[in-house]
PDB file of all heavy atoms in Angstrom:
ATOM      1  N   VAL A   1     -10.657  -6.726  -2.160  1.00  0.00           N
ATOM      2  CA  VAL A   1      -9.743  -5.599  -2.358  1.00  0.00           C
ATOM      3  C   VAL A   1      -8.346  -6.077  -1.990  1.00  0.00           C
ATOM      4  O   VAL A   1      -8.153  -6.765  -0.980  1.00  0.00           O
ATOM      5  CB  VAL A   1     -10.143  -4.402  -1.470  1.00  0.00           C
ATOM      6  CG1 VAL A   1      -9.179  -3.235  -1.673  1.00  0.00           C
ATOM      7  CG2 VAL A   1     -11.571  -3.969  -1.766  1.00  0.00           C
ATOM      8  N   MET A   2      -7.374  -5.759  -2.799  1.00  0.00           N
ATOM      9  CA  MET A   2      -6.013  -6.195  -2.529  1.00  0.00           C
ATOM     10  C   MET A   2      -5.480  -5.598  -1.229  1.00  0.00           C
ATOM     11  O   MET A   2      -5.931  -4.543  -0.774  1.00  0.00           O
ATOM     12  CB  MET A   2      -5.110  -5.823  -3.710  1.00  0.00           C
ATOM     13  CG  MET A   2      -5.471  -6.590  -4.983  1.00  0.00           C
ATOM     14  SD  MET A   2      -4.570  -6.027  -6.453  1.00  0.00           S
ATOM     15  CE  MET A   2      -2.902  -6.560  -6.075  1.00  0.00           C
ATOM     16  N   ASP A   3      -4.508  -6.278  -0.647  1.00  0.00           N
ATOM     17  CA  ASP A   3      -3.897  -5.850   0.616  1.00  0.00           C
ATOM     18  C   ASP A   3      -2.781  -4.841   0.324  1.00  0.00           C
ATOM     19  O   ASP A   3      -1.795  -5.175  -0.332  1.00  0.00           O
ATOM     20  CB  ASP A   3      -3.331  -7.066   1.351  1.00  0.00           C
ATOM     21  CG  ASP A   3      -2.554  -6.705   2.604  1.00  0.00           C
ATOM     22  OD1 ASP A   3      -2.721  -5.572   3.112  1.00  0.00           O
ATOM     23  OD2 ASP A   3      -1.768  -7.554   3.077  1.00  0.00           O
ATOM     24  N   PHE A   4      -2.971  -3.623   0.837  1.00  0.00           N
ATOM     25  CA  PHE A   4      -1.956  -2.578   0.645  1.00  0.00           C
ATOM     26  C   PHE A   4      -1.246  -2.212   1.957  1.00  0.00           C
ATOM     27  O   PHE A   4      -0.555  -1.209   2.032  1.00  0.00           O
ATOM     28  CB  PHE A   4      -2.586  -1.342   0.017  1.00  0.00           C
ATOM     29  CG  PHE A   4      -3.041  -1.571  -1.403  1.00  0.00           C
ATOM     30  CD1 PHE A   4      -4.345  -1.952  -1.677  1.00  0.00           C
ATOM     31  CD2 PHE A   4      -2.154  -1.448  -2.458  1.00  0.00           C
ATOM     32  CE1 PHE A   4      -4.764  -2.193  -2.979  1.00  0.00           C
ATOM     33  CE2 PHE A   4      -2.557  -1.686  -3.761  1.00  0.00           C
ATOM     34  CZ  PHE A   4      -3.865  -2.064  -4.029  1.00  0.00           C
ATOM     35  N   GLY A   5      -1.458  -3.034   2.966  1.00  0.00           N
ATOM     36  CA  GLY A   5      -0.688  -2.858   4.198  1.00  0.00           C
ATOM     37  C   GLY A   5      -1.370  -2.119   5.319  1.00  0.00           C
ATOM     38  O   GLY A   5      -1.000  -2.286   6.484  1.00  0.00           O
ATOM     39  N   THR A   6      -2.360  -1.285   4.991  1.00  0.00           N
ATOM     40  CA  THR A   6      -3.063  -0.549   6.062  1.00  0.00           C
ATOM     41  C   THR A   6      -4.578  -0.611   5.876  1.00  0.00           C
ATOM     42  O   THR A   6      -5.306   0.089   6.574  1.00  0.00           O
ATOM     43  CB  THR A   6      -2.655   0.944   6.076  1.00  0.00           C
ATOM     44  OG1 THR A   6      -3.107   1.568   4.866  1.00  0.00           O
ATOM     45  CG2 THR A   6      -1.161   1.125   6.225  1.00  0.00           C
ATOM     46  N   ASN A   7      -5.024  -1.424   4.931  1.00  0.00           N
ATOM     47  CA  ASN A   7      -6.466  -1.449   4.646  1.00  0.00           C
ATOM     48  C   ASN A   7      -7.100  -2.796   4.987  1.00  0.00           C
ATOM     49  O   ASN A   7      -6.461  -3.843   4.929  1.00  0.00           O
ATOM     50  CB  ASN A   7      -6.716  -1.144   3.169  1.00  0.00           C
ATOM     51  CG  ASN A   7      -6.161  -2.212   2.242  1.00  0.00           C
ATOM     52  OD1 ASN A   7      -4.975  -2.552   2.307  1.00  0.00           O
ATOM     53  ND2 ASN A   7      -7.008  -2.755   1.383  1.00  0.00           N
ATOM     54  N   LYS A   8      -8.366  -2.732   5.355  1.00  0.00           N
ATOM     55  CA  LYS A   8      -9.213  -3.926   5.444  1.00  0.00           C
ATOM     56  C   LYS A   8     -10.340  -3.670   4.465  1.00  0.00           C
ATOM     57  O   LYS A   8     -11.280  -2.933   4.759  1.00  0.00           O
ATOM     58  CB  LYS A   8      -9.747  -4.105   6.863  1.00  0.00           C
ATOM     59  CG  LYS A   8      -8.678  -4.502   7.870  1.00  0.00           C
ATOM     60  CD  LYS A   8      -9.268  -4.714   9.256  1.00  0.00           C
ATOM     61  CE  LYS A   8      -8.168  -5.116  10.247  1.00  0.00           C
ATOM     62  NZ  LYS A   8      -8.716  -5.296  11.627  1.00  0.00           N
ATOM     63  N   GLY A   9     -10.206  -4.242   3.271  1.00  0.00           N
ATOM     64  CA  GLY A   9     -11.139  -3.913   2.214  1.00  0.00           C
ATOM     65  C   GLY A   9     -10.944  -2.457   1.824  1.00  0.00           C
ATOM     66  O   GLY A   9      -9.821  -2.010   1.566  1.00  0.00           O
ATOM     67  N   LEU A  10     -12.031  -1.704   1.828  1.00  0.00           N
ATOM     68  CA  LEU A  10     -11.972  -0.288   1.449  1.00  0.00           C
ATOM     69  C   LEU A  10     -11.605   0.617   2.620  1.00  0.00           C
ATOM     70  O   LEU A  10     -11.310   1.802   2.417  1.00  0.00           O
ATOM     71  CB  LEU A  10     -13.326   0.150   0.875  1.00  0.00           C
ATOM     72  CG  LEU A  10     -13.734  -0.516  -0.444  1.00  0.00           C
ATOM     73  CD1 LEU A  10     -15.162  -0.135  -0.803  1.00  0.00           C
ATOM     74  CD2 LEU A  10     -12.781  -0.138  -1.570  1.00  0.00           C
ATOM     75  N   GLU A  11     -11.618   0.083   3.822  1.00  0.00           N
ATOM     76  CA  GLU A  11     -11.332   0.893   5.009  1.00  0.00           C
ATOM     77  C   GLU A  11      -9.827   0.986   5.230  1.00  0.00           C
ATOM     78  O   GLU A  11      -9.139  -0.031   5.384  1.00  0.00           O
ATOM     79  CB  GLU A  11     -12.000   0.288   6.245  1.00  0.00           C
ATOM     80  CG  GLU A  11     -11.852   1.099   7.513  1.00  0.00           C
ATOM     81  CD  GLU A  11     -12.577   2.434   7.473  1.00  0.00           C
ATOM     82  OE1 GLU A  11     -13.587   2.536   6.760  1.00  0.00           O
ATOM     83  OE2 GLU A  11     -12.121   3.371   8.160  1.00  0.00           O
ATOM     84  N   ILE A  12      -9.315   2.215   5.250  1.00  0.00           N
ATOM     85  CA  ILE A  12      -7.876   2.434   5.441  1.00  0.00           C
ATOM     86  C   ILE A  12      -7.613   2.994   6.829  1.00  0.00           C
ATOM     87  O   ILE A  12      -8.222   3.984   7.233  1.00  0.00           O
ATOM     88  CB  ILE A  12      -7.315   3.386   4.373  1.00  0.00           C
ATOM     89  CG1 ILE A  12      -7.410   2.746   2.984  1.00  0.00           C
ATOM     90  CG2 ILE A  12      -5.857   3.753   4.676  1.00  0.00           C
ATOM     91  CD1 ILE A  12      -6.946   3.639   1.851  1.00  0.00           C
ATOM     92  N   ASP A  13      -6.713   2.352   7.553  1.00  0.00           N
ATOM     93  CA  ASP A  13      -6.299   2.829   8.870  1.00  0.00           C
ATOM     94  C   ASP A  13      -5.180   3.855   8.667  1.00  0.00           C
ATOM     95  O   ASP A  13      -4.118   3.522   8.137  1.00  0.00           O
ATOM     96  CB  ASP A  13      -5.807   1.649   9.721  1.00  0.00           C
ATOM     97  CG  ASP A  13      -5.428   2.069  11.134  1.00  0.00           C
ATOM     98  OD1 ASP A  13      -6.011   3.060  11.642  1.00  0.00           O
ATOM     99  OD2 ASP A  13      -4.543   1.429  11.732  1.00  0.00           O
ATOM    100  N   LEU A  14      -5.438   5.092   9.066  1.00  0.00           N
ATOM    101  CA  LEU A  14      -4.454   6.154   8.863  1.00  0.00           C
ATOM    102  C   LEU A  14      -3.312   6.052   9.867  1.00  0.00           C
ATOM    103  O   LEU A  14      -3.516   6.159  11.065  1.00  0.00           O
ATOM    104  CB  LEU A  14      -5.136   7.525   8.970  1.00  0.00           C
ATOM    105  CG  LEU A  14      -6.250   7.808   7.958  1.00  0.00           C
ATOM    106  CD1 LEU A  14      -6.806   9.209   8.171  1.00  0.00           C
ATOM    107  CD2 LEU A  14      -5.751   7.638   6.531  1.00  0.00           C
ATOM    108  N   SER A  15      -2.122   5.841   9.348  1.00  0.00           N
ATOM    109  CA  SER A  15      -0.917   5.777  10.178  1.00  0.00           C
ATOM    110  C   SER A  15       0.272   6.029   9.264  1.00  0.00           C
ATOM    111  O   SER A  15       0.119   6.157   8.038  1.00  0.00           O
ATOM    112  CB  SER A  15      -0.776   4.401  10.841  1.00  0.00           C
ATOM    113  OG  SER A  15      -0.421   3.423   9.878  1.00  0.00           O
ATOM    114  N   LYS A  16       1.453   6.078   9.839  1.00  0.00           N
ATOM    115  CA  LYS A  16       2.639   6.327   9.024  1.00  0.00           C
ATOM    116  C   LYS A  16       2.932   5.188   8.058  1.00  0.00           C
ATOM    117  O   LYS A  16       3.682   5.355   7.089  1.00  0.00           O
ATOM    118  CB  LYS A  16       3.848   6.616   9.915  1.00  0.00           C
ATOM    119  CG  LYS A  16       3.701   7.928  10.682  1.00  0.00           C
ATOM    120  CD  LYS A  16       4.954   8.306  11.440  1.00  0.00           C
ATOM    121  CE  LYS A  16       4.768   9.645  12.157  1.00  0.00           C
ATOM    122  NZ  LYS A  16       6.007  10.111  12.827  1.00  0.00           N
ATOM    123  N   LYS A  17       2.304   4.030   8.285  1.00  0.00           N
ATOM    124  CA  LYS A  17       2.460   2.924   7.343  1.00  0.00           C
ATOM    125  C   LYS A  17       1.781   3.228   6.008  1.00  0.00           C
ATOM    126  O   LYS A  17       1.956   2.487   5.033  1.00  0.00           O
ATOM    127  CB  LYS A  17       1.917   1.622   7.938  1.00  0.00           C
ATOM    128  CG  LYS A  17       2.828   1.024   9.007  1.00  0.00           C
ATOM    129  CD  LYS A  17       2.352  -0.360   9.433  1.00  0.00           C
ATOM    130  CE  LYS A  17       3.339  -0.973  10.429  1.00  0.00           C
ATOM    131  NZ  LYS A  17       2.913  -2.331  10.838  1.00  0.00           N
ATOM    132  N   CYS A  18       1.014   4.310   5.961  1.00  0.00           N
ATOM    133  CA  CYS A  18       0.419   4.746   4.689  1.00  0.00           C
ATOM    134  C   CYS A  18       1.446   5.404   3.783  1.00  0.00           C
ATOM    135  O   CYS A  18       1.179   5.578   2.583  1.00  0.00           O
ATOM    136  CB  CYS A  18      -0.729   5.729   4.946  1.00  0.00           C
ATOM    137  SG  CYS A  18      -2.161   4.993   5.760  1.00  0.00           S
ATOM    138  N   TYR A  19       2.610   5.800   4.321  1.00  0.00           N
ATOM    139  CA  TYR A  19       3.646   6.363   3.469  1.00  0.00           C
ATOM    140  C   TYR A  19       3.996   5.311   2.414  1.00  0.00           C
ATOM    141  O   TYR A  19       4.227   4.137   2.759  1.00  0.00           O
ATOM    142  CB  TYR A  19       4.884   6.727   4.285  1.00  0.00           C
ATOM    143  CG  TYR A  19       4.675   7.791   5.360  1.00  0.00           C
ATOM    144  CD1 TYR A  19       5.705   8.144   6.223  1.00  0.00           C
ATOM    145  CD2 TYR A  19       3.448   8.437   5.515  1.00  0.00           C
ATOM    146  CE1 TYR A  19       5.531   9.126   7.200  1.00  0.00           C
ATOM    147  CE2 TYR A  19       3.270   9.410   6.492  1.00  0.00           C
ATOM    148  CZ  TYR A  19       4.313   9.752   7.333  1.00  0.00           C
ATOM    149  OH  TYR A  19       4.132  10.711   8.301  1.00  0.00           O
ATOM    150  N   PRO A  20       4.008   5.661   1.138  1.00  0.00           N
ATOM    151  CA  PRO A  20       4.048   4.676   0.045  1.00  0.00           C
ATOM    152  C   PRO A  20       5.104   3.580   0.129  1.00  0.00           C
ATOM    153  O   PRO A  20       4.832   2.434  -0.212  1.00  0.00           O
ATOM    154  CB  PRO A  20       4.264   5.553  -1.188  1.00  0.00           C
ATOM    155  CG  PRO A  20       3.596   6.836  -0.839  1.00  0.00           C
ATOM    156  CD  PRO A  20       3.889   7.042   0.621  1.00  0.00           C
ATOM    157  N   TYR A  21       6.319   3.927   0.575  1.00  0.00           N
ATOM    158  CA  TYR A  21       7.395   2.926   0.583  1.00  0.00           C
ATOM    159  C   TYR A  21       7.828   2.574   2.010  1.00  0.00           C
ATOM    160  O   TYR A  21       8.998   2.281   2.259  1.00  0.00           O
ATOM    161  CB  TYR A  21       8.577   3.435  -0.254  1.00  0.00           C
ATOM    162  CG  TYR A  21       8.165   3.746  -1.670  1.00  0.00           C
ATOM    163  CD1 TYR A  21       7.932   5.060  -2.077  1.00  0.00           C
ATOM    164  CD2 TYR A  21       7.967   2.724  -2.594  1.00  0.00           C
ATOM    165  CE1 TYR A  21       7.515   5.349  -3.373  1.00  0.00           C
ATOM    166  CE2 TYR A  21       7.556   3.001  -3.896  1.00  0.00           C
ATOM    167  CZ  TYR A  21       7.332   4.311  -4.270  1.00  0.00           C
ATOM    168  OH  TYR A  21       6.916   4.587  -5.557  1.00  0.00           O
ATOM    169  N   HIS A  22       6.869   2.571   2.912  1.00  0.00           N
ATOM    170  CA  HIS A  22       7.165   2.255   4.314  1.00  0.00           C
ATOM    171  C   HIS A  22       7.786   0.860   4.405  1.00  0.00           C
ATOM    172  O   HIS A  22       7.242  -0.111   3.858  1.00  0.00           O
ATOM    173  CB  HIS A  22       5.880   2.316   5.140  1.00  0.00           C
ATOM    174  CG  HIS A  22       6.114   2.356   6.614  1.00  0.00           C
ATOM    175  ND1 HIS A  22       6.505   1.235   7.332  1.00  0.00           N
ATOM    176  CD2 HIS A  22       6.031   3.372   7.514  1.00  0.00           C
ATOM    177  CE1 HIS A  22       6.636   1.572   8.610  1.00  0.00           C
ATOM    178  NE2 HIS A  22       6.368   2.849   8.747  1.00  0.00           N
ATOM    179  N   PRO A  23       8.935   0.734   5.111  1.00  0.00           N
ATOM    180  CA  PRO A  23       9.619  -0.566   5.182  1.00  0.00           C
ATOM    181  C   PRO A  23       8.884  -1.600   6.030  1.00  0.00           C
ATOM    182  O   PRO A  23       9.176  -2.798   5.916  1.00  0.00           O
ATOM    183  CB  PRO A  23      10.972  -0.223   5.828  1.00  0.00           C
ATOM    184  CG  PRO A  23      11.084   1.258   5.828  1.00  0.00           C
ATOM    185  CD  PRO A  23       9.694   1.805   5.784  1.00  0.00           C
ATOM    186  N   GLY A  24       7.960  -1.161   6.865  1.00  0.00           N
ATOM    187  CA  GLY A  24       7.364  -2.062   7.849  1.00  0.00           C
ATOM    188  C   GLY A  24       6.092  -2.762   7.428  1.00  0.00           C
ATOM    189  O   GLY A  24       5.328  -3.212   8.280  1.00  0.00           O
ATOM    190  N   ILE A  25       5.843  -2.884   6.133  1.00  0.00           N
ATOM    191  CA  ILE A  25       4.659  -3.597   5.669  1.00  0.00           C
ATOM    192  C   ILE A  25       5.076  -4.928   5.035  1.00  0.00           C
ATOM    193  O   ILE A  25       6.259  -5.151   4.763  1.00  0.00           O
ATOM    194  CB  ILE A  25       3.844  -2.763   4.664  1.00  0.00           C
ATOM    195  CG1 ILE A  25       4.679  -2.406   3.424  1.00  0.00           C
ATOM    196  CG2 ILE A  25       3.310  -1.497   5.328  1.00  0.00           C
ATOM    197  CD1 ILE A  25       3.893  -1.720   2.314  1.00  0.00           C
ATOM    198  N   SER A  26       4.111  -5.813   4.804  1.00  0.00           N
ATOM    199  CA  SER A  26       4.416  -7.144   4.280  1.00  0.00           C
ATOM    200  C   SER A  26       4.910  -7.076   2.840  1.00  0.00           C
ATOM    201  O   SER A  26       4.684  -6.095   2.121  1.00  0.00           O
ATOM    202  CB  SER A  26       3.168  -8.028   4.348  1.00  0.00           C
ATOM    203  OG  SER A  26       2.199  -7.588   3.404  1.00  0.00           O
ATOM    204  N   LEU A  27       5.551  -8.167   2.404  1.00  0.00           N
ATOM    205  CA  LEU A  27       6.038  -8.245   1.029  1.00  0.00           C
ATOM    206  C   LEU A  27       4.875  -8.180   0.039  1.00  0.00           C
ATOM    207  O   LEU A  27       4.993  -7.575  -1.027  1.00  0.00           O
ATOM    208  CB  LEU A  27       6.823  -9.546   0.822  1.00  0.00           C
ATOM    209  CG  LEU A  27       8.194  -9.626   1.505  1.00  0.00           C
ATOM    210  CD1 LEU A  27       8.810 -10.999   1.290  1.00  0.00           C
ATOM    211  CD2 LEU A  27       9.130  -8.542   0.961  1.00  0.00           C
ATOM    212  N   GLU A  28       3.748  -8.796   0.395  1.00  0.00           N
ATOM    213  CA  GLU A  28       2.575  -8.755  -0.485  1.00  0.00           C
ATOM    214  C   GLU A  28       2.069  -7.324  -0.639  1.00  0.00           C
ATOM    215  O   GLU A  28       1.762  -6.881  -1.751  1.00  0.00           O
ATOM    216  CB  GLU A  28       1.451  -9.636   0.072  1.00  0.00           C
ATOM    217  CG  GLU A  28       0.210  -9.627  -0.812  1.00  0.00           C
ATOM    218  CD  GLU A  28      -0.946 -10.432  -0.247  1.00  0.00           C
ATOM    219  OE1 GLU A  28      -0.825 -10.947   0.875  1.00  0.00           O
ATOM    220  OE2 GLU A  28      -1.982 -10.524  -0.934  1.00  0.00           O
ATOM    221  N   ALA A  29       2.000  -6.597   0.484  1.00  0.00           N
ATOM    222  CA  ALA A  29       1.541  -5.210   0.429  1.00  0.00           C
ATOM    223  C   ALA A  29       2.498  -4.348  -0.394  1.00  0.00           C
ATOM    224  O   ALA A  29       2.059  -3.488  -1.168  1.00  0.00           O
ATOM    225  CB  ALA A  29       1.388  -4.647   1.847  1.00  0.00           C
ATOM    226  N   LYS A  30       3.797  -4.579  -0.237  1.00  0.00           N
ATOM    227  CA  LYS A  30       4.782  -3.829  -1.033  1.00  0.00           C
ATOM    228  C   LYS A  30       4.595  -4.101  -2.524  1.00  0.00           C
ATOM    229  O   LYS A  30       4.653  -3.179  -3.354  1.00  0.00           O
ATOM    230  CB  LYS A  30       6.203  -4.208  -0.613  1.00  0.00           C
ATOM    231  CG  LYS A  30       6.610  -3.681   0.760  1.00  0.00           C
ATOM    232  CD  LYS A  30       8.012  -4.156   1.139  1.00  0.00           C
ATOM    233  CE  LYS A  30       8.394  -3.650   2.519  1.00  0.00           C
ATOM    234  NZ  LYS A  30       9.723  -4.144   2.944  1.00  0.00           N
ATOM    235  N   LYS A  31       4.353  -5.363  -2.863  1.00  0.00           N
ATOM    236  CA  LYS A  31       4.149  -5.745  -4.258  1.00  0.00           C
ATOM    237  C   LYS A  31       2.878  -5.080  -4.816  1.00  0.00           C
ATOM    238  O   LYS A  31       2.870  -4.566  -5.940  1.00  0.00           O
ATOM    239  CB  LYS A  31       4.035  -7.260  -4.360  1.00  0.00           C
ATOM    240  CG  LYS A  31       3.833  -7.775  -5.772  1.00  0.00           C
ATOM    241  CD  LYS A  31       3.732  -9.301  -5.774  1.00  0.00           C
ATOM    242  CE  LYS A  31       3.451  -9.825  -7.184  1.00  0.00           C
ATOM    243  NZ  LYS A  31       3.312 -11.312  -7.202  1.00  0.00           N
ATOM    244  N   ASN A  32       1.818  -5.072  -4.014  1.00  0.00           N
ATOM    245  CA  ASN A  32       0.558  -4.486  -4.467  1.00  0.00           C
ATOM    246  C   ASN A  32       0.652  -2.969  -4.609  1.00  0.00           C
ATOM    247  O   ASN A  32       0.101  -2.393  -5.551  1.00  0.00           O
ATOM    248  CB  ASN A  32      -0.564  -4.860  -3.498  1.00  0.00           C
ATOM    249  CG  ASN A  32      -0.874  -6.345  -3.516  1.00  0.00           C
ATOM    250  OD1 ASN A  32      -0.505  -7.058  -4.450  1.00  0.00           O
ATOM    251  ND2 ASN A  32      -1.548  -6.834  -2.479  1.00  0.00           N
ATOM    252  N   ARG A  33       1.369  -2.338  -3.695  1.00  0.00           N
ATOM    253  CA  ARG A  33       1.588  -0.885  -3.826  1.00  0.00           C
ATOM    254  C   ARG A  33       2.406  -0.582  -5.077  1.00  0.00           C
ATOM    255  O   ARG A  33       2.129   0.385  -5.778  1.00  0.00           O
ATOM    256  CB  ARG A  33       2.301  -0.332  -2.582  1.00  0.00           C
ATOM    257  CG  ARG A  33       1.438  -0.276  -1.356  1.00  0.00           C
ATOM    258  CD  ARG A  33       2.126   0.488  -0.234  1.00  0.00           C
ATOM    259  NE  ARG A  33       1.398   0.361   1.024  1.00  0.00           N
ATOM    260  CZ  ARG A  33       1.682   1.021   2.140  1.00  0.00           C
ATOM    261  NH1 ARG A  33       2.695   1.876   2.153  1.00  0.00           N
ATOM    262  NH2 ARG A  33       0.973   0.847   3.237  1.00  0.00           N
ATOM    263  N   ALA A  34       3.415  -1.413  -5.338  1.00  0.00           N
ATOM    264  CA  ALA A  34       4.259  -1.202  -6.521  1.00  0.00           C
ATOM    265  C   ALA A  34       3.424  -1.289  -7.799  1.00  0.00           C
ATOM    266  O   ALA A  34       3.629  -0.516  -8.743  1.00  0.00           O
ATOM    267  CB  ALA A  34       5.393  -2.226  -6.552  1.00  0.00           C
ATOM    268  N   LEU A  35       2.461  -2.215  -7.825  1.00  0.00           N
ATOM    269  CA  LEU A  35       1.579  -2.344  -8.981  1.00  0.00           C
ATOM    270  C   LEU A  35       0.733  -1.094  -9.148  1.00  0.00           C
ATOM    271  O   LEU A  35       0.685  -0.495 -10.236  1.00  0.00           O
ATOM    272  CB  LEU A  35       0.674  -3.564  -8.818  1.00  0.00           C
ATOM    273  CG  LEU A  35      -0.449  -3.714  -9.865  1.00  0.00           C
ATOM    274  CD1 LEU A  35       0.135  -3.910 -11.261  1.00  0.00           C
ATOM    275  CD2 LEU A  35      -1.372  -4.874  -9.488  1.00  0.00           C
ATOM    276  N   LEU A  36       0.066  -0.677  -8.082  1.00  0.00           N
ATOM    277  CA  LEU A  36      -0.816   0.493  -8.129  1.00  0.00           C
ATOM    278  C   LEU A  36      -0.043   1.755  -8.508  1.00  0.00           C
ATOM    279  O   LEU A  36      -0.429   2.488  -9.428  1.00  0.00           O
ATOM    280  CB  LEU A  36      -1.494   0.673  -6.761  1.00  0.00           C
ATOM    281  CG  LEU A  36      -2.407   1.893  -6.602  1.00  0.00           C
ATOM    282  CD1 LEU A  36      -3.623   1.780  -7.520  1.00  0.00           C
ATOM    283  CD2 LEU A  36      -2.848   2.033  -5.137  1.00  0.00           C
ATOM    284  N   ILE A  37       1.045   2.005  -7.803  1.00  0.00           N
ATOM    285  CA  ILE A  37       1.836   3.215  -8.050  1.00  0.00           C
ATOM    286  C   ILE A  37       2.438   3.188  -9.454  1.00  0.00           C
ATOM    287  O   ILE A  37       2.424   4.200 -10.166  1.00  0.00           O
ATOM    288  CB  ILE A  37       2.934   3.366  -6.978  1.00  0.00           C
ATOM    289  CG1 ILE A  37       2.299   3.635  -5.605  1.00  0.00           C
ATOM    290  CG2 ILE A  37       3.912   4.498  -7.350  1.00  0.00           C
ATOM    291  CD1 ILE A  37       3.270   3.521  -4.433  1.00  0.00           C
ATOM    292  N   GLY A  38       2.932   2.024  -9.866  1.00  0.00           N
ATOM    293  CA  GLY A  38       3.547   1.910 -11.185  1.00  0.00           C
ATOM    294  C   GLY A  38       2.583   2.220 -12.315  1.00  0.00           C
ATOM    295  O   GLY A  38       2.941   2.907 -13.281  1.00  0.00           O
ATOM    296  N   LEU A  39       1.347   1.745 -12.198  1.00  0.00           N
ATOM    297  CA  LEU A  39       0.347   2.001 -13.230  1.00  0.00           C
ATOM    298  C   LEU A  39       0.068   3.493 -13.387  1.00  0.00           C
ATOM    299  O   LEU A  39      -0.039   4.010 -14.501  1.00  0.00           O
ATOM    300  CB  LEU A  39      -0.951   1.258 -12.897  1.00  0.00           C
ATOM    301  CG  LEU A  39      -0.924  -0.260 -13.093  1.00  0.00           C
ATOM    302  CD1 LEU A  39      -2.160  -0.895 -12.457  1.00  0.00           C
ATOM    303  CD2 LEU A  39      -0.836  -0.617 -14.566  1.00  0.00           C
ATOM    304  N   PHE A  40      -0.049   4.187 -12.266  1.00  0.00           N
ATOM    305  CA  PHE A  40      -0.330   5.622 -12.335  1.00  0.00           C
ATOM    306  C   PHE A  40       0.900   6.411 -12.772  1.00  0.00           C
ATOM    307  O   PHE A  40       0.774   7.377 -13.537  1.00  0.00           O
ATOM    308  CB  PHE A  40      -0.854   6.123 -10.985  1.00  0.00           C
ATOM    309  CG  PHE A  40      -2.337   5.944 -10.828  1.00  0.00           C
ATOM    310  CD1 PHE A  40      -2.867   4.760 -10.336  1.00  0.00           C
ATOM    311  CD2 PHE A  40      -3.222   6.952 -11.199  1.00  0.00           C
ATOM    312  CE1 PHE A  40      -4.234   4.578 -10.213  1.00  0.00           C
ATOM    313  CE2 PHE A  40      -4.591   6.791 -11.076  1.00  0.00           C
ATOM    314  CZ  PHE A  40      -5.105   5.589 -10.583  1.00  0.00           C
ATOM    315  N   GLU A  41       2.081   6.010 -12.326  1.00  0.00           N
ATOM    316  CA  GLU A  41       3.285   6.723 -12.733  1.00  0.00           C
ATOM    317  C   GLU A  41       3.542   6.569 -14.235  1.00  0.00           C
ATOM    318  O   GLU A  41       4.065   7.482 -14.880  1.00  0.00           O
ATOM    319  CB  GLU A  41       4.490   6.237 -11.920  1.00  0.00           C
ATOM    320  CG  GLU A  41       4.456   6.750 -10.474  1.00  0.00           C
ATOM    321  CD  GLU A  41       5.687   6.361  -9.680  1.00  0.00           C
ATOM    322  OE1 GLU A  41       6.398   5.416 -10.099  1.00  0.00           O
ATOM    323  OE2 GLU A  41       5.940   6.993  -8.637  1.00  0.00           O
ATOM    324  N   GLU A  42       3.167   5.429 -14.807  1.00  0.00           N
ATOM    325  CA  GLU A  42       3.305   5.241 -16.256  1.00  0.00           C
ATOM    326  C   GLU A  42       2.449   6.240 -17.027  1.00  0.00           C
ATOM    327  O   GLU A  42       2.751   6.560 -18.186  1.00  0.00           O
ATOM    328  CB  GLU A  42       2.882   3.822 -16.642  1.00  0.00           C
ATOM    329  CG  GLU A  42       3.904   2.754 -16.302  1.00  0.00           C
ATOM    330  CD  GLU A  42       3.379   1.352 -16.572  1.00  0.00           C
ATOM    331  OE1 GLU A  42       2.306   1.213 -17.213  1.00  0.00           O
ATOM    332  OE2 GLU A  42       4.042   0.392 -16.144  1.00  0.00           O
TER     333      GLU A  42
END
């Protein structure tokens, strides 16, 4: 499962880092969120 910044596989740790554009996550997680969100927004 891709890294979205707050997950280990399918398990998601609930925290404010779950906010979609949280500045405090890795560049990889930001890129992966952008892919996921972009596909649905299209």
